[in-house]
Amino acid sequence: MAKVKIFDTTLRDGEQSPGFTMSIAEKLQMAMQLDDLGVDIIEAGFPVASDDDFSSVRQISKKVRRPTIAALARANPKDVERAGESIQSANKPRIHTFIATSNIHLEKKLEIGREECLDRITQAVQLARTFVDDVEFSAEDATRTDIEFLCEAVRTALNAGANTINIPDTVGYTLPEEFSSLITTLFKEVHGLDEAVVSVHCHDDMGLAVANSLAAIDSGARQVECTINGIGERAGNASLEEIVMALKVRKDLTEHHTDINTESIYKTSQLLSHITKIHPQPNKAIVGKNAFAHEAGIHQHGMLKDKMTYEIMTPELVGAPETRLVLGKHSGRHGLNNRYQELGYELTQEKLDRAYKFFTMLADQKKEVLDEDLLVILRHGAIQEPGKFYKLLDLNVTCGNELSTAEVKISYNSIVKEGKAKGHGPISLTFSAIDKAVGKELIIKEFEIVAATPGRDAVGVVNIKALINENTFAGTAASTDIVNAAARAYLDALNKSEQSVS
Ligand code: KIV
Ligand code: ZN
């Protein structure tokens, strides 16, 4: 099984993208985490870019001893010297020098011809070799470079002493099959390339960075350049976690492996998000919030029987928190019952049916039904007996700056009664409308509304104590609509008073 080296460029290509700037201390913290993750090479920065970049590469070189520390340099003496200086104290230093090779970059950006480009490659690589033994050369925009000239550039870099040849898909332009055959052609056309390490560096402009990297590995690339969470210029770089896990999960199909401690992937991703305050999108493979969450009833049912039904890797394998069975409007009775069991409740079929009815109503109003919601359902929806005498059939309330109105429809022993009230305050009017419907007036002694669950779509619990025929009765009900909860709490107190005389 051939090893594929992981060259992490989170601190260079990742950090140079908008919003991802890190301080020196943060870069050092991140580099130590990348060491723990087991990456082979850390590209620590672009030392000529700024004094801060230089200092961070220098500090990382001093403190992070196991992996190779690479410093980026354009193919000119000033850049290469600055890079060489920055990694002087590294245990395993590397200079990574690059120049564009495509016609458009040569003509429009660098304004030089091919001969000049080849000369610069020779000089930069030779100068880099005077600082370090480990020199990587990149042909920027390789995938849009004329193939003969690309072969020439690679030959030149090898002859000058480069030991790693990187083929970047700088603008995320290539397709997997095309990239795979480009790598095959290079091996065929460039004598001695098989003695160097061929690397690839893919950008994600068409969402193909990982697919292209895997295709190149199949054709003989033995180093991939990638970033945590796939951060990087524009649409980002190939995501480290996706490449590593694809090789691991599909080891039946690929004979390549990496030395990444996959259990540290999630922690590393979280550290990067914490430092940059930018989180990967929820559906991001491997490290997104939903990567191991299941909501659909059919999926939850399968997962409860055997996790492999819907999971191709365990969250533990990447150090992520355990699988979340998210309860929402697509969940079924199985998922609900399982969560109640985890919370320590064994529900009878009847109670589960009642809880499920309340749960589906709640799930229509809330994105995600939380454990706190389930406990409220138990107290107010499933365990509490439904009122025997008074039931709320309909409630319509309008309120705002003008006078408010409340209209209720109630059944009392199957007889429908209606009441209306106009005035101020939606809850007070609802109580008045109920009074009119039932022909009684309750005196409220105590009234409270408690948010039983977090968030703006919290379930509110209404508790009241009402004086009815000189006795006090407590009433309680819960809903995401507190006016509705208040009406039902009021009827709950009324039901209790009827129960006491029956
Ligand atoms: O995308 C690119 O071409 C680069 C090079 C410097 C390797 O980042
Ligand atoms: Zn790049």
Side-chain angles (χ1 to χ4, degrees), residues 12-13 170 201 203 233 237:
R12 200 279 298 168
D13 221 347
T170 305
H201 174 115
H203 279 269
E233 283 285 353
N237 286 62

Side-chain angles (χ1 to χ4, degrees), residues 126-350:
Q126 282 178 348
L127 179 62
R129 282 299 302 256
T130 65
F131 288 94
V132 289
D133 290 335
D134 185 354
V135 173
E136 170 171 336
F137 168 72
S138 284
E140 191 190 10
D141 204 16
T143 52
R144 293 194 300 168
T145 299
D146 163 40
I147 184 67
E148 267 112 52
F149 184 61
L150 183 61
C151 291
E152 197 52 36
V154 170
R155 265 183 224 114
T156 306
L158 285 176
N159 290 339
N163 13 48
T164 299
I165 299 293
N166 185 38
I167 307 300
D169 182 26
T170 305
V171 289
Y173 176 71
T174 197
L175 301 181
E177 264 186 47
E178 180 191 43
F179 200 42
S180 161
S181 77
L182 171 66
I183 303 298
T184 306
T185 307
L186 284 170
F187 273 116
K188 211 164 91 207
E189 300 296 326
V190 180
H191 178 71
L193 185 58
D194 49 359
E195 280 157 39
V197 174
V198 171
S199 168
V200 287
H201 174 115
C202 297
H203 279 269
D204 211 25
D205 299 66
M206 295 200 288
L208 291 168
V210 171
N212 289 336
S213 305
L214 293 172
I217 290 172
D218 252 356
S219 296
R222 290 294 170 265
Q223 173 179 292
V224 280
E225 305 198 353
C226 43
T227 59
I228 300 298
N229 297 348
I231 70 166
E233 283 285 353
R234 305 179 310 280
N237 286 62
S239 139
L240 179 148
E241 58 276 11
E242 292 174 24
I243 294 175
V244 168
M245 292 317 291
L247 293 178
K248 187 156 182 128
V249 171
R250 296 312 309 271
K251 55 179 182 283
D252 58 321
L253 278 189
T254 163
E255 70 232 32
H256 313 297
H257 75 279
T258 70
D259 281 350
I260 293 296
N261 307 315
T262 60
E263 290 82 3
S264 292
I265 284 180
Y266 189 74
K267 193 172 164 203
T268 314
S269 157
Q270 290 282 300
L271 177 65
L272 179 65
S273 310
H274 171 74
I275 289 175
T276 60
K277 311 282 177 285
I278 300 177
H279 294 265
Q281 79 270 19
N283 59 324
K284 165 81 178 65
I286 322 288
V287 293
K289 178 172 162 270
N290 291 348
F292 297 98
H294 307 261
E295 180 177 321
I298 298 169
H299 289 207
Q300 292 190 347
H301 192 182
M303 285 289 294
L304 292 169
K305 291 196 161 160
D306 183 341
K307 289 193 172 167
M308 294 299 279
T309 50
Y310 286 101
E311 248 172 33
I312 56 165
M313 70 188 95
T314 63
E316 297 84 53
L317 195 57
V318 296
E322 62 182 36
T323 307
R324 280 193 318 138
L325 294 189
V326 179
L327 292 176
K329 68 182 203 183
H330 304 108
S331 307
R333 272 186 178 69
H334 266 99
L336 182 65
N337 197 27
N338 178 68
R339 192 71 199 121
Y340 273 127
Q341 282 169 346
E342 283 170 1
L343 291 170
Y345 295 91
E346 281 297 338
L347 302 193
T348 60
Q349 191 57 44
E350 192 198 341

